[in-house]
Amino acid sequence: MLTQAISSLDHKCIQGIQANEQVCYDAVMRSVGIVTLLDPILGHAKCDEIGKQCIAENKTIQQVVLEQELLTQEQLDEIFAFSNLVSEVTAQHELFAQVS
């Protein structure tokens, strides 16, 4: 029965599903958890402050970092590149001055 149920679920519900990549990316970028990518650059204390501000003001990490002029949009684009969101960060951190 379980085999039949899994097969039915696959046929009727799973096959044909396609993820909306932009919606998924936007959801990740609204997540406060991605502030951890900035930890090696800005330091834990500063990232904690940023995270708290994001929650309090309903803003993204990037919005707060840009408002505080901690990094440029170009730097943020490199840090938050898709490849860094799904694996080890590949951005060259030596290019970014330690702010904390």
Side-chain angles (χ1 to χ4, degrees), residues 9-70:
L9 176 68
D10 178 42
H11 259 353
K12 295 180 179 182
C13 299
I14 297 174
Q15 289 183 13
I17 291 178
Q18 292 183 354
N20 183 325
E21 291 182 26
Q22 188 61 50
V23 170
C24 293
Y25 180 79
D26 291 344
V28 169
M29 296 312 290
R30 286 190 308 273
S31 170
V32 177
I34 63 171
V35 75
T36 57
L37 288 173
L38 298 177
D39 233 29
I41 300 160
L42 301 177
H44 182 75
K46 182 51 113 175
C47 288
D48 189 42
E49 289 175 25
I50 292 168
K52 288 178 182 177
Q53 183 177 347
C54 289
I55 292 168
E57 298 176 9
N58 194 29
K59 293 183 178 179
T60 67
I61 299 297
Q62 289 193 23
Q63 287 172 321
V64 172
V65 170
L66 289 171
E67 286 173 3
Q68 293 184 15
E69 298 180 349
L70 300 172

